[in-house]
Each structure stands twice: as structure tokens, then as C-alpha cells.
């Protein structure tokens, strides 16, 4: 239940760069550059935002100009009971957190002519990005007391859902029993939203080594390696999750940090990782005697534990982000866009003929063949309470009989 309205959010960006090209010798050229990027936090025009910051102690940050805004007694009481400090501050602006100012990104590439027909190319670059589309849901503008969401979860699969006052959720009058005035609302079950306070700008290390050779006139081949490493990627770990592995059917609410607030509240952290490794090859014919074509093939593997923040990116969620001793690296798997094999064949042929009717015709073609993308299969039976579960591959799922109605055996 929520009284959602508008959020007038905005961000700012500043960048600068320098680059140079150096011809070291007749057969070696080096290009180098340095870029600096600064991304602001997501701010709100009227400063109507709040940020839940987990830690020791946990803090609920509200812009100082709202320190006279009446708050629900139950909200203040729940903060105190759960050890959350209410802080009014102007130190960090309406973004209510820190952003790095040292995002320096070096980039360098080189081309070396081994012989007249062989060229070696290589490069490395560091790239920052902090404008990922999260959608509206995790916006700090939807935090109490400006806007808020109340979530009433049942303790297990058989117990009924109850409102904050203890009454049953069922019945058409349930909405009439929920107070949405921020000064008097019952804050039990209130969702808290947060964006990492000490935000680390997501970054990607990209590198490649390629060899190009002219096999014959107008025909060339290129083979090489291309890789990427992503670090500090945005991902929804959530907060107020269970901190221990619990048997199925256990009420998870006593096993969260703030039992008076909603479990699995929204929290964006920059703790995701990704990797991409590929062998790439292409054979190209430049336009000669009316024919040109390109054949390219890529063999690759892409892994991550951080899907696209808005859509999930085909990546399953984190299974136990707050369980003591659990490493988020355990949730690294094939990414949603992982495509092991990719073959593309395209070209153009100028048809013979002349005159107004038969001259100037050409035919084009494009053939693309890709292997299937990865899938996440959930467990058919619950293995815990308040945690996620994915099925593990223990054999060949394609072995034996299967068809379009039963893809796996």
C-alpha cells in the first residue's frame, strides 16, 4: 500500500579528457589518453528524499530543511527500537551520500606493422558509468515521510497476512483501515529505501589483442582476444534481509536487523562484478568486381552477479546477500546476454546488367546464427526461509529424449 506521487529527480555530469597520438617509428603508432568523469548522486528538486544507510549505527538521513515536518510516533518509536538513528543533515545535499571525485580513466592502444601484410593491434581502457536506469522504484524520493510503501508479509506459507495494527488483510474494507497520513501512519511494515552511502562509481576494464593479415588482394583475416572486467556494478542486494539460514516455514521476521520494518527493503549497492572473455575472428573481402562480404565468428563467455537494475537482465537475484559468511561471488553465473557462439555472414553483390532497366541492381544478404542464452531455473521446493534458491546442474540436461514440448530431459 502506498500514496505514490511525483518525484522531481535530476543528476549532473562533468567530464574532461586529453589525448595524444605518437608515431614512435615507421611501423609503430601509439595513442594514449586520460579521461576524468564526475557523476552526481540522484537529487530531488525540492529535497524531498530520505536515505536509509545500514551500518553501525544505522542511520536514516533526511535533508535538514525538513526537521520540523511532523513524523508518525510509531515511525520514531520503530527507529529507536531497531537501533536506527534519525539524522537531519545538509552535509551531502539532497542526494544524501558521497560520490567519488577521482574517476580517472587511462586509455592506450598501439598498432605495430610486423610486415607489409601483418599488423598487430592492442589496447586497454578504463570506463566509468553511473547513469544506469534503475526505474522509479528505488528512488529515494519514495521514502517516508515524503512518500512511502507499507508491506505486510505473512510469517510463512500457511499463516494469514495481517496489517500493522494486527487485523487481517482480507476484506474490501482493508484500505479503509490503513492510515496514509505521514504524521499518523502506523509504520509497522514500512519499506525503507537506500542507495549506498559511500557510492563507488561502476567501472569497466576493457582490453584486446588482435592480429590482422592480408591473405590476398582485397581479402583480409583478423583474429584476436577481447575481454572486459566489470567492478563495483550496481545491483539490488536489498536490505533488512535474513542474517542466517533458516529452515523452510520459519518466520524470518525475527532474523532481520530491523524487525519492525519491511523485509527485503530496496537497497542499491555497487558490489556487482562481471567478466567477458572472447575469441573473435573475421574474414573480409573489400568490394572487388562487384562483390564484398564479411564473415565473423565469436566464441565467448560472459558471467556476472549483477543484472540490469531496471529489468534484471535475465540474471537471477542474489540468494543470501546478508547471511553471515555468504560471499556474493557465490551468485556469479552466466549473464543474461551470454552467447557462446555467434556467426554472422553478410555481403553485397552488384548484379551484371546495363541500361535504365537492367543496370544498377544489387543484392544484399545477412545471416546470423547464435547459440542460446543462459537460463536460471528456480528450485521446485523451498530450501530455506527468507533466502533464494536455484537448481544446480548435476548432469547433461540435454541428454536423452526431449522436444519442443519438453526442452530438457
Amino acid at each position: 500500500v502506498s500514496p505514490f506521487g511525483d518525484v522531481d529527480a535530476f543528476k549532473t555530469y562533468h567530464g574532461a579528457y586529453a589525448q595524444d597520438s605518437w608515431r614512435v617509428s615507421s611501423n609503430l603508432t601509439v595513442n594514449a589518453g586520460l579521461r576524468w568523469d564526475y557523476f552526481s548522486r540522484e537529487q530531488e528538486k525540492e529535497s524531498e528524499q530520505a536515505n536509509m544507510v545500514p551500518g553501525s549505527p544505522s542511520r536514516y538521513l533526511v535533508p535538514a530543511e525538513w526537521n520540523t515536518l511532523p513524523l508518525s510516533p510509531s515511525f520514531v518509536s520503530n527507529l529507536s527500537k531497531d537501533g536506527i538513528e534519525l539524522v537531519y543533515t545538509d552535509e551531502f545535499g539532497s542526494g544524501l551520500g558521497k560520490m567519488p571525485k577521482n574517476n580517472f580513466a587511462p586509455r592506450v592502444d598501439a598498432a605495430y606493422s610486423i610486415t607489409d601484410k601483418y599488423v598487430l593491434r592492442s589496447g586497454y581502457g578504463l570506463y566509468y558509468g553511473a547513469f544506469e536506469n534503475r526505474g522509479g522504484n528505488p528512488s529515494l524520493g519514495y521514502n517516508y515521510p515524503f512518500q512511502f510503501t507499507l508491506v505486510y508479509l505473512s510469517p510463512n506459507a500457511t499463516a494469514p497476512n495481517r496489517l500493522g495494527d494486527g487485523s487481517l488483510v482480507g476484506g474490501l474494507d482493508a484500505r479503509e483501515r490503513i492510515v496514509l497520513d505521514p504524521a499518523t501512519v502506523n509504520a509497522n511494515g514500512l519499506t525503507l529505501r537506500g542507495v549506498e552511502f559511500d557510492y563507488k562509481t561502476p567501472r569497466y576494464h576493457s582490453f584486446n589483442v588482435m592480429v590482422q593479415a592480408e591473405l590476398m588482394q582485397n581479402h583480409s583475416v583478423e583474429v584476436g582476444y577481447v575481454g572486459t572486467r566489470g567492478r563495483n556494478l550496481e545491483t539490488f542486494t536489498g536490505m533488512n534481509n535474513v542474517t542466517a539460514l533458516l529452515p523452510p516455514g520459519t518466520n524470518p521476521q525475527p532474523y532481520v536487523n530491523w524487525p519492525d520494518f519491511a523485509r527485503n527493503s530496496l537497497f542499491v549497492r555497487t558490489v556487482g562484478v562481471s567478466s567477458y572473455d572472447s575469441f573473435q575472428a573475421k574474414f573480409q573481402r573489400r568490394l572487388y568486381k562487384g562483390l564484398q562480404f564479411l564473415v565473423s565468428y565469436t566464441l565467448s563467455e560472459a558471467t556476472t552477479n549483477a543484472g540490469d537494475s531496471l529489468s534484471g537482465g535475465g540474471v537471477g537475484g542474489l540468494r543470501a546477500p546478508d547471511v553471515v559468511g555468504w560471499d556474493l561471488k557465490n551468485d556469479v553465473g552466466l549473464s543474461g546476454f551470454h552467447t557462446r557462439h555467434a556467426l554472422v555472414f553478410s555481403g553485397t553483390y552488384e548484379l551484371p546488367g546495363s541500361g535504365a532497366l537492367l543496370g544498377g541492381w544489387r543484392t544484399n544478404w545477412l545471416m546470423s546464427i547464435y547459440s542460446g542464452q543462459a537460463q536460471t531455473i528456480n528450485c521446485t521446493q523451498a530450501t530455506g526461509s527468507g533466502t533464494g534458491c536455484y537448481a544446480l546442474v548435476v548432469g547433461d540436461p540435454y541428454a536423452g529424449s526431449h522436444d519442443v514440448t519438453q526442452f530438457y530431459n
Side-chain angles (χ1 to χ4, degrees):
V1 182
S2 60
F4 274 9
D6 293 331
V7 175
D8 199 350
F10 68 95
K11 288 184 175 182
T12 60
Y13 166 76
H14 300 279
Y17 70 93
Q19 65 181 37
D20 193 17
S21 180
W22 178 28
R23 189 172 179 82
V24 181
S25 65
S26 59
N27 59 348
L28 176 61
T29 301
V30 177
N31 300 301
L34 181 66
R35 186 177 185 90
W36 172 79
D37 297 298
Y38 173 74
F39 304 86
S40 78
R41 293 182 74 95
E42 186 174 288
Q43 303 171 76
E44 213 281 336
K45 186 176 180 181
E46 305 299 329
S47 297
E48 294 183 345
Q49 293 197 140
N51 192 14
M52 179 63 217
V53 181
S56 300
S58 297
R59 296 174 294 163
Y60 194 76
L61 305 182
V62 181
E65 63 187 88
W66 298 107
N67 62 354
T68 59
L69 184 69
L71 300 178
S72 164
S74 68
F75 173 71
V76 176
S77 174
N78 286 350
L79 289 181
S80 178
K81 285 192 295 181
D82 291 348
I84 303 173
E85 181 181 353
L86 178 61
V87 179
Y88 293 98
T89 178
D90 278 335
E91 183 178 355
F92 312 105
S94 66
L96 299 169
K98 300 177 181 179
M99 289 294 283
K101 297 180 180 179
N102 59 344
N103 297 330
F104 292 99
R107 296 164 195 182
V108 60
D109 67 76
Y112 178 69
S113 297
I114 303 173
T115 68
D116 292 341
K117 294 186 177 183
Y118 287 86
V119 178
L120 173 66
R121 294 185 175 90
S122 182
Y124 165 80
L126 174 60
Y127 302 86
Y128 289 96
F131 281 149
E132 183 171 348
N133 190 352
R134 306 180 190 135
N137 205 32
S139 170
L140 299 182
Y142 291 128
N143 255 334
Y144 180 89
F146 309 104
Q147 301 180 48
F148 49 90
T149 301
L150 299 167
V151 178
Y152 305 110
L153 299 173
S154 61
N156 52 54
T158 59
N161 290 52
R162 294 184 179 275
L163 300 179
D165 60 5
S167 63
L168 292 175
V169 171
L172 296 177
D173 64 336
R175 288 180 297 177
E176 300 175 1
R177 290 183 276 122
I178 299 174
V179 179
L180 295 180
D181 182 348
T184 57
V185 66
N186 188 329
N188 293 334
L190 180 69
T191 292
L192 305 175
R193 289 174 166 79
V195 174
E196 191 171 44
F197 181 77
D198 287 305
Y199 191 94
K200 298 176 179 61
T201 310
R203 65 185 189 270
Y204 296 89
H205 301 268
S206 181
F207 35 86
N208 63 80
V209 178
M210 309 293 292
V211 176
Q212 185 179 32
E214 183 181 11
L215 299 181
M216 62 188 77
Q217 184 180 9
N218 299 309
H219 293 77
S220 64
V221 64
E222 185 173 327
V223 296
Y225 165 82
V226 177
T228 300
R229 297 292 182 269
R231 297 295 182 264
N232 300 120
L233 307 183
E234 278 197 2
T235 186
F236 286 137
T237 62
M239 59 182 168
N240 213 27
N241 305 307
V242 295
T243 56
L245 294 177
L246 305 173
T250 305
N251 180 7
Q253 200 65 26
Y255 299 91
V256 299
N257 291 322
W258 316 307
D260 294 289
F261 293 97
R263 299 196 309 273
N264 307 323
S265 287
L266 296 164
F267 189 40
V268 177
R269 296 173 62 193
T270 54
V271 294
V273 298
S274 70
S275 68
Y276 173 78
D277 296 284
S278 68
F279 165 78
Q280 299 184 10
K282 68 179 181 180
F283 176 57
Q284 183 176 15
R285 172 190 169 108
R286 293 185 292 274
L287 184 62
Y288 178 65
K289 293 186 178 181
L291 175 64
Q292 66 177 10
F293 61 79
L294 172 65
V295 181
S296 63
Y297 170 73
T298 300
L299 172 66
S300 65
E301 180 175 90
T303 62
T304 187
N305 61 0
D308 175 73
S309 292
L310 182 59
S311 67
V315 176
L318 302 173
R319 289 173 288 177
D322 288 345
V323 170
V324 177
W326 180 260
D327 193 327
L328 297 183
K329 293 180 180 178
N330 294 329
D331 286 311
V332 173
L334 296 177
S335 69
F337 58 84
H338 165 79
T339 306
R340 185 170 298 279
H341 301 282
L343 175 65
V344 178
F345 178 36
S346 62
T348 299
Y349 178 62
E350 297 178 347
L351 298 174
S354 60
L357 183 60
L358 299 179
W361 290 88
R362 68 173 59 182
T363 181
N364 304 303
W365 68 88
L366 173 63
M367 180 187 71
S368 301
I369 302 176
Y370 300 96
S371 56
Q373 295 180 326
Q375 292 179 281
T376 298
I377 299 178
N378 296 321
C379 298
T380 56
Q381 295 182 344
T383 59
S385 181
T387 51
C389 175
Y390 302 123
L392 300 178
V393 178
V394 296
D396 183 3
Y398 306 104
S401 176
H402 58 279
D403 53 31
V404 293
T405 62
Q406 182 175 324
F407 190 76
Y408 298 113
N409 54 22

